[in-house]
Each structure stands twice: as C-alpha cells, then as structure tokens.
C-alpha cells in the first residue's frame, strides 16, 4: 500500500505523489475527498503511468475528470500481481465505497422473477423482486408480473407445486383441508400429506428443469402416456393428458425460439448520449428468450462503449447466473482478464464476444433497438415530471443569471452537407415541454459558414417578431394606441391561430460554442432586441457558453437544467437534419431536369411520377417519354439529349 496525502488544499498538485514513489505495476487506486470519503476507484496495468496522467496536464483533462480532481484531497493505491486481481479488487471497492464519480447501473424499473424456493422443505413457486436469496432458483426476469402468473398457471397442470404462503400452508395442515388449488389439481397438497416431501421436491425439480429449457423429455413423456391411455380406452385420462400437453405447448409458445436449442447466452446492447446510457439484456436459454432486463446510468466520467461493457459485466455478474456465452456490442479493454474472472465465478468456460453475422447479430440489433427505446422513454419520463421541469428551469435561470425562469426557450441549429442545401431549424419548449406547433424551419441564403448562418436565422426570426409587434400595435403600447387596434394581440383574428412569430422567447439557445452565441447576440443587438437572453450549448463537452465570455458556464453533470438544455438542443438538431435530408432528396431528384426548356415543376413531377426516378428516365426512349401527358416530341427529344449528355 502506498499513499500521499495533504488535506484541505484545492489544487491537485498539492497531493501529487512524489516522483518515483508510484510503482510501475498493476494495481487499484482510490481518490478521497477532504472528509476521507472515497470518490473514485480505478484500476491500471501500470499505476505509475495511470496516476501520472492525472497530474501531467490538468487543462487537457476531460471536465468531469477535472471536477473529480478538484474535489479530491488524497490518493492511495494497492499493488496486485495480475489484471484479474485488479478487476476483483476494483469491483469490491466500488461495492464497498459506492464512489460518486464511478459509473453506476440502476434498474429503470423493478423487474419481477419467477422463483422456486428450493431451500425450503416444501419448495414454493412465486413471483419475487429485489435481492436474490440463497437456496432459491430464479427464472427471468420478466417485463410484467402477469406474464409470470400466466406461465405458472399453465404449468401447474403438469407440475402441481405449492404456491401458497407459509401462513396458508401451515393453516391448511392444521385443519387437514387443502386450499382451492388442491381441490382443482393445481397443487399436489403436500400440506395434508397427499404427496411426500420427496415427491413434492421431485415435482419442483421437474418444474425447474422445464423452465431451464429441458422441455423435450416432458412433452415426449406426456405424448407417450396419452397414447397408452387411448390404447387402453381410458379416454378421460387421455383427454386430461392432452390438455396438460397443450398447456405445456402454450407455455413454450410464450417464449420465442431465436437461436439453436443448445444456446445459452446473454445478449447485451447499449444506447448512449453524452449524459446517460441505457443497457438492455435478453436472456436466452435453450435457444429461447426467457427474460429481459434494463438499466439506466448517469455518465459521470468519459467512458468508451467497451469500458461501459466491462463495468456492466463486473457489477451485474458478481452475484448473478453467468451463461456459457455473453454477446456484447464492444469488447472490454481487458477482455482476457474479464473472461478469466467470469470463468472463475461460473466454474466453467465463458465466452465474451461481439456477434458478427447471422441470427446472433440480428438478435443483437433487436436488443439495441430496445435499449434505444428504453433511453428515449427514460428521457420522456424525466422530462414530463412537473417538479423536475420546474427545477430544471430554475437551475437554468440561476446558472445564466436570468431575472426569471425561461418559460419559453427557442433553440436553433444549422444543417448542411459541405456547404450545400444549408437549412436551419427553430424548436420551441414551453414550460420544459416541446411545443411542436411552434417549430419553424429556414432556408439559409448565406454561404459563409455556420456562424454567419446562425446570425442570419436569428436576425430573420426576430425581424419577423418585430414586424408582428408592429402589426398588432404592441410597439406603441406605451402611448396607449394599441388598445384601439382591432387586430391587436398575438392571435390572428382571421384564422384564430397564433401569429407565426408573435411570441418572443425568454431564452435563445444555439447549437455551438462562444462564436455561435456571439453571432446570435450580435443579431439581436442590431435589431434593438434587449429583452431576450442568449446562450450556446457545445456538443463535444456539453458546455454552456454566454456571448462574449472566454470560459463556459459550469453546470453539474447531474443538473436537470443541463439535461433540459441538452434535450432542447438534440431536438433542434433532429428537426434540422430531417429538413436538410428532405431538401437534399428533392434537389437530387429534380436538379437533372432543371433548365430544360418547356419543363416546369408540374411536368417535372409528372415525369418523376411516371418513371419513378431520374435514372429510369435517363434510360427511357423518346417514344416512352412521349407517353407522359403533356410531354410532346420536341420536349422529349430535348430531355433525352440533356440527360444522355449528363450521363456521359
């Protein structure tokens, strides 16, 4: 164990280890704050190289790492002999100290499991949530508890295992009368001695075998018994066995076959953005999807997909069932050490790999879609909470030093492809929620880059705002003239709808850093608009910039205000990209026909509708083009000449 310590000094250099004091060997290190709390745990192949990287160039570090170092007041380390030992020690310290700057996985909901309490004298089948208990077999998790109850109800016909609570079981034994399930043959009634404890345990073991995927022997046995009963003319018994067989088949149908019968695998996928990530796992046993589970995490440090996978495997499989195969979206940086640790925990071979083709690759894509949907739903739930929205708006007001919470936020983004088809988007959030009816889009005229485009779109939007104010008489409100204007107010009396640009925002957000924010402010200043605040949000580090400032405004990573600004920015980016793609697609379709004499927009559309694409039109003959209504021989010949010339 090595240590260097100097408390109550904010500079990281104050507790930097002495040169040469850090060993050049594998190990695990801990950063502590001034109160001796562990705030970060990490591992390294070389402690010397890793720890020196924290102190070599503070300005070059990621902002989250900078924050951690300014909070820290001490660092110590422990040397280990192998990378596997480093993984084990890192996990145990993370579990023990729960450091605030380490990645943490949390369930996005409490998933139910189908549990069989094999540790009891009379095993019980039940729905369980929360921490796992020793001596209990678990199957799942399932998305809904009712899905478990449906499966259990079907299987109890064939495996009549006890499902009652300890109190009900004890009372039935005292009065010598089983519960209703015992009378309808969905429980073997061990409480009144209908079966011995050993016979009941065998039923529970068969139930577990069926749930684990060993289904063929049970269906074959029932089919044999049904045929024997029919041959002996015991038709009622044969009908009951037939119904039991159908119950097993319906239970199997609820679990889709996706891979080979011998496949036992966990399929893991990620969806992430700069602030959060979602993880989804499909549990495949016996080639069937037996369950699904999801986690959501706040990213408190800069991590790669492989590092997220490594953290996930160590945390989730520490106490869970490990299958033979683990399919991941990216390999952990220390994949050999992680695999060795999982093999050691399982007591058998474990393979960690990225699927490249076939059914496993397709299933990975399905799990990834679920992860993306989970992250989107998490964002919606988080954004739709009224208390959270109010907190976010207040945090934005405090961070940007606004007079009041920005109840109306407008965000602008520019999209183009190498300077062509330049467009801009304007999205509106009111009270923290998207107001899509207020979205607007712009075709940009300037060709001088993103900063000039931001200046143009802001100036055009607020020029329209000033025109609307002038039309409604608001600009003369101080002289009392606006009250006599029959068209006054932001609602158009002719349509009954809000005027397009009548409402001003409290805050303008632009996608970009200081130059973009300054361009937006310059546009407002040129128009004399002085009651609208401006900020920029840069994608790379999620930094908030105010016009004219040399340094960004620091908002905590867990801040609801930063989360809302990011969501507004992402929506503006999505809206701009959609408009740019539509505009570019239209340009590609019609540009080849522009300038053909006698060929206006209507005839261009008629040609494209008839042939389906410019490529097919280029391959058509003059006679075929003349079949289009409104296209004559002379025009067809010009079209062929023009298109053939462009194609050569």
């Amino acid at each position: 164990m090595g240590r260097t310590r100097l408390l109550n000094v904010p500079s990281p250099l104050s507790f930097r280890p002495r040169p040469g004091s850090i060993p050049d060997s594998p190990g695990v290190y801990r950063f502590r704050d001034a109160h001796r709390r562990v705030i970060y745990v990490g591992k390294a192949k070389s402690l010397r190289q890793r720890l020196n990287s924290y102190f070599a160039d503070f300005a070059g570090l990621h902002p989250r790492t900078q924050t951690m170092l300014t909070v820290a007041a001490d660092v110590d380390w422990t040397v280990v002999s192998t990378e596997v030992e480093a993984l084990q020690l890192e996990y145990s310290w993370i579990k023990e100290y729960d450091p605030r700057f380490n990645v943490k996985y949390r369930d996005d909901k409490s998933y139910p499991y189908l549990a069989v309490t094999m540790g009891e004298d009379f095993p019980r089948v039940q729905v369980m949530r929360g921490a796992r208990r020793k001596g209990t077999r678990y199957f799942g998790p399932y998305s809904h508890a009712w899905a478990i109850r449906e499966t259990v109800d079907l299987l109890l016909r064939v495996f009549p295992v006890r499902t009652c609570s300890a109190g009900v079981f004890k009372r039935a034994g005292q009065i010598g009368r089983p519960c209703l399930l015992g009378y309808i043959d969905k429980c073997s009634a061990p409480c009144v001695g209908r079966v011995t404890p050993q016979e009941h345990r065998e039923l529970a073991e068969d139930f577990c075998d069926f749930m684990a995927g060993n289904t063929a022997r049970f269906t074959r046995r029932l089919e044999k018994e049904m045929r024997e009963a029919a041959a002996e003319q015991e038709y009622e018994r044969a009908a009951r066995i037939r119904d039991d067989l159908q119950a097993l088949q319906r239970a199997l149908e609820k679990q889709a076959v996706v891979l080979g019968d011998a496949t036992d695998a966990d399929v893991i996928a990620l969806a992430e953005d700069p602030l959060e990530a979602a993880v989804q796992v499909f549990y495949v046993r016996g080639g069937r999807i037996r369950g699904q589970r999801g986690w959501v995490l706040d990213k408190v440090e800069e991590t790669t997909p492989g590092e997220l996978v490594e953290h996930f495997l160590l945390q989730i499989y520490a106490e869970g069932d490990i299958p033979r195969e683990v399919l991941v979206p990216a390999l952990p940086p220390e994949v050999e050490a992680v695999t060795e640790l999982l093999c050691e925990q399982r007591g058998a071979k474990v393979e960690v790999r990225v699927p490249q083709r076939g059914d496993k690759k397709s299933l990975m894509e399905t799990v990834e879609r679920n992860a993306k949907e989970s992250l989107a739903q998490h964002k919606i739930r988080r954004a739709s909470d009224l208390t959270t929205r109010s907190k976010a708006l207040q945090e934005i007001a405090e961070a940007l030093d606004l007079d009041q919470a920005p109840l109306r936020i407008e965000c602008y983004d520019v999209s183009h492809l190498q300077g062509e088809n330049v467009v801009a988007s304007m999205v509106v959030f009111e009270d923290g929620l998207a107001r899509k009816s207020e979205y607007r889009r712009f075709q940009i005229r300037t060709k001088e880059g993103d900063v000039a485009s931001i200046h143009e779109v802001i100036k055009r939007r607020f020029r329209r705002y000033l025109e609307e104010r002038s039309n409604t008489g608001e600009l003369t409100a101080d002289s009392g003239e606006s009250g006599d204007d029959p068209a006054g107010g932001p609602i158009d009396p002719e349509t009954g709808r809000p005027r397009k640009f009548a409402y001003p925002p409290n805050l303008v957000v632009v996608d970009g850093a200081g130059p973009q924010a300054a361009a937006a402010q310059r546009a407002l200043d040129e128009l004399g608009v002085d009651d609208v605040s401006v900020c920029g949000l840069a994608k790379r580090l999620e930094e908030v910039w105010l016009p004219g400032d040399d340094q960004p405004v620091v908002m905590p990573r867990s801040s609801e205000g930063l989360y809302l600004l990011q969501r507004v920015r992402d929506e503006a980016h999505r809206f701009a990209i959609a408009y740019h793609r539509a505009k570019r697609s239209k340009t590609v379709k019609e540009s080849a026909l522009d300038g053909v004499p006698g060929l206006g927009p209507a005839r261009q559309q008629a040609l494209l509708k008839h042939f389906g694409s410019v490529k097919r039109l280029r391959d058509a003959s003059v006679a075929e083009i003349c079949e289009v209504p409104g296209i004559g021989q002379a025009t067809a010949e010009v079209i062929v000449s023009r298109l053939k010339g462009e194609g050569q």
Side-chain angles (χ1 to χ4, degrees):
M1 173 77 74
R3 167 169 303 198
T4 179
R5 178 183 179 193
L6 185 58
L7 299 180
N8 300 321
V9 181
S11 172
L13 296 177
S14 62
F15 61 90
R16 179 176 183 171
R18 294 188 306 275
S21 65
I22 309 175
D24 188 17
S25 56
V28 184
Y29 55 91
R30 296 176 291 192
F31 281 95
R32 299 176 184 268
D33 64 12
H35 301 285
R36 306 292 301 138
R37 291 174 298 196
V38 175
I39 60 173
Y40 183 77
V41 172
K43 67 176 184 347
K45 289 183 180 180
S46 169
L47 285 169
R48 179 178 300 170
Q49 293 181 13
R50 181 63 173 167
L51 288 176
N52 282 339
S53 69
Y54 285 103
F55 303 99
D57 180 17
F58 182 82
L61 296 174
H62 193 278
R64 291 182 290 275
T65 307
Q66 291 179 350
T67 302
M68 185 272 290
L69 287 175
T70 55
V71 173
D74 178 20
V75 61
D76 60 38
W77 58 86
T78 296
V79 175
V80 297
S81 57
T82 66
E83 294 175 17
V84 175
E85 289 183 17
L87 285 170
Q88 291 174 321
L89 183 58
E90 180 191 32
Y91 169 72
S92 64
W93 277 1
I94 289 174
K95 187 175 181 180
E96 177 181 356
Y97 298 116
D98 190 26
R100 58 180 287 198
F101 286 98
N102 280 93
V103 171
K104 299 182 182 67
Y105 290 86
R106 62 181 188 276
D107 283 344
D108 55 4
K109 62 179 81 171
S110 179
Y111 283 84
Y113 285 83
L114 172 58
V116 185
T117 58
M118 300 300 293
E120 298 183 8
D121 293 335
F122 295 94
R124 174 191 176 192
V125 176
Q126 64 183 112
V127 177
M128 275 192 177
R129 300 176 188 263
R132 296 193 171 207
R133 303 175 186 176
K134 188 176 181 180
T136 299
R137 295 270 318 260
Y138 290 88
F139 303 95
Y142 290 76
S143 299
H144 304 283
W146 55 261
I148 301 178
R149 295 189 180 98
E150 283 187 357
T151 300
V152 171
D153 188 61
L154 291 169
L155 296 182
L156 288 180
R157 290 183 56 92
V158 184
F159 311 107
V161 185
R162 165 199 166 204
T163 58
C164 60
S165 65
V168 172
F169 185 85
K170 182 179 179 181
R171 177 165 175 75
Q174 290 172 341
I175 64 177
R177 187 171 67 245
C179 64
L180 177 61
L181 291 179
Y183 283 106
I184 63 176
D185 296 327
K186 285 195 172 182
C187 179
S188 55
C191 54
V192 294
R194 286 188 186 174
V195 294
T196 65
Q198 182 58 34
E199 289 171 336
H200 184 264
R201 180 167 293 276
E202 289 175 357
L203 282 173
E205 289 173 350
D206 287 346
F207 182 97
C208 291
D209 283 348
F210 184 88
M211 290 301 302
N214 303 321
T215 60
R217 71 183 180 95
F218 297 108
T219 55
R220 285 198 301 265
R221 186 187 73 187
L222 290 177
E223 289 172 351
K224 180 181 177 182
E225 291 177 359
M226 181 177 64
R227 286 193 296 268
E228 290 175 350
E232 296 171 5
Q233 298 184 357
E234 297 180 8
Y235 299 119
E236 290 186 3
R237 187 165 73 90
R240 285 197 300 272
I241 297 173
R242 177 204 62 200
D243 293 343
D244 292 346
L245 185 59
Q246 290 176 349
L248 290 187
Q249 290 171 343
R250 287 199 300 275
L252 287 173
E253 288 169 0
K254 291 179 178 293
Q255 300 163 339
V257 178
V258 292
L259 300 172
D261 290 342
T263 302
D264 288 346
D266 286 356
V267 188
I268 303 169
L270 294 169
E272 57 178 321
D273 62 24
L275 293 177
E276 295 177 306
V279 183
Q280 281 282 315
V281 181
F282 278 20
Y283 300 93
V284 179
R285 300 294 183 270
R288 297 175 182 270
I289 298 176
R290 301 290 181 176
Q292 172 188 359
R293 191 174 181 183
W295 291 261
V296 177
L297 63 101
D298 293 318
K299 296 170 70 174
V300 293
E301 60 177 338
E302 188 174 18
T303 54
T304 64
E307 290 170 337
L308 286 175
V309 168
E310 180 178 297
H311 294 147
F312 177 82
L313 296 179
L314 293 177
Q315 293 186 38
I316 303 306
Y317 286 139
E319 299 175 356
D321 296 329
I322 306 175
R324 290 194 296 266
E325 191 174 12
V326 180
L327 304 179
V328 296
L331 290 177
E334 313 296 338
V335 62
E336 294 84 2
V338 171
T339 302
E340 184 179 341
L341 184 58
L342 294 180
C343 292
E344 183 180 309
Q345 289 178 310
R346 183 173 184 261
K349 182 180 178 181
V350 177
E351 184 179 6
V352 179
R353 67 185 186 88
V354 178
Q356 300 296 332
R357 61 185 67 86
D359 293 339
K360 292 179 180 178
K361 173 68 172 176
S362 299
L363 182 58
M364 173 67 76
E365 292 171 353
T366 300
V367 182
E368 185 179 354
R369 287 196 296 271
N370 278 265
K372 290 179 179 177
E373 178 64 21
S374 174
L375 184 60
Q377 291 299 320
H378 169 75
K379 287 175 174 287
I380 291 172
R381 286 194 299 269
R382 184 173 177 180
S384 62
D385 180 72
L386 178 59
T387 303
T388 302
R389 296 202 314 268
S390 300
K391 180 182 178 183
L393 294 173
Q394 190 59 43
E395 287 179 352
I396 293 172
E398 293 175 358
L400 304 184
D401 196 23
L402 306 181
D403 294 334
Q404 59 182 356
L407 298 181
R408 181 182 171 104
I409 300 174
E410 291 181 2
C411 186
Y412 298 82
D413 188 22
V414 174
S415 181
H416 59 85
L417 182 63
Q418 296 180 344
E420 297 297 325
N421 294 315
V422 185
V423 299
S425 66
M426 165 186 139
V427 301
V428 179
F429 275 56
E430 289 188 349
D431 197 21
L433 294 177
R435 188 178 176 87
K436 295 193 175 183
S437 62
E438 298 286 307
Y439 286 14
R440 299 290 180 263
R441 55 192 191 183
F442 304 81
Q443 294 189 47
I444 300 300
R445 306 183 185 104
T446 183
K447 302 291 185 180
E448 299 177 8
D450 288 354
V451 174
S453 298
I454 286 290
H455 179 272
E456 177 186 327
V457 70
I458 296 296
K459 196 163 186 177
R460 285 168 58 185
R461 183 266 185 266
F462 283 92
R463 185 183 290 121
R464 289 289 304 274
Y465 160 61
L466 295 177
E467 291 172 358
E468 295 284 3
R469 289 183 64 186
S470 177
N471 292 336
T472 60
E474 290 184 41
L475 291 179
T476 57
D478 292 339
S479 61
E481 297 177 7
S482 63
D484 299 327
D485 187 347
I491 303 299
D492 191 326
E494 296 182 2
T495 64
R497 298 178 180 177
R499 302 176 191 272
K500 282 190 175 182
F501 295 98
Y503 290 102
N506 303 107
L507 176 65
V508 164
V509 180
V510 294
D511 182 12
Q516 286 82 359
Q521 186 63 61
R522 189 169 65 255
L524 293 177
D525 292 342
E526 291 170 1
L527 294 172
V529 177
D530 57 4
D531 56 351
V532 175
S533 300
V534 176
C535 76
L537 183 61
K539 282 191 184 73
R540 189 173 69 88
L541 299 177
E542 302 299 320
E543 295 173 332
V544 181
W545 291 84
L546 293 177
D549 285 2
D550 295 331
Q551 296 294 328
V553 175
V554 177
M555 296 185 71
R557 295 290 295 175
S558 58
S559 164
E560 293 295 339
L562 180 59
Y563 181 87
L564 176 58
L565 288 177
Q566 184 208 24
R567 185 162 178 261
V568 172
R569 189 272 319 281
D570 290 347
E571 178 69 355
H573 184 66
R574 179 200 66 79
F575 193 50
I577 287 289
Y579 181 37
H580 170 70
R581 286 175 177 167
K583 192 170 183 292
R584 188 177 66 199
S585 176
K586 183 179 179 181
T587 300
V588 169
K589 287 181 179 179
E590 297 183 358
S591 60
L593 301 176
D594 289 344
V596 177
L599 203 61
R603 288 184 177 181
Q604 288 184 9
Q605 290 296 326
L607 285 166
L608 290 172
K609 184 176 181 181
H610 182 84
F611 289 100
S613 68
V614 173
K615 182 178 182 299
R616 292 183 180 179
L617 177 59
R618 182 178 287 114
D619 296 336
S621 64
V622 172
E624 290 172 332
I625 295 176
C626 287
E627 294 176 3
V628 179
I631 305 296
Q633 178 78 18
T635 303
E637 291 175 353
V638 173
I639 293 172
V640 169
S641 175
R642 179 67 61 87
L643 294 183
K644 295 292 185 182
E646 289 186 358
Q648 294 175 353

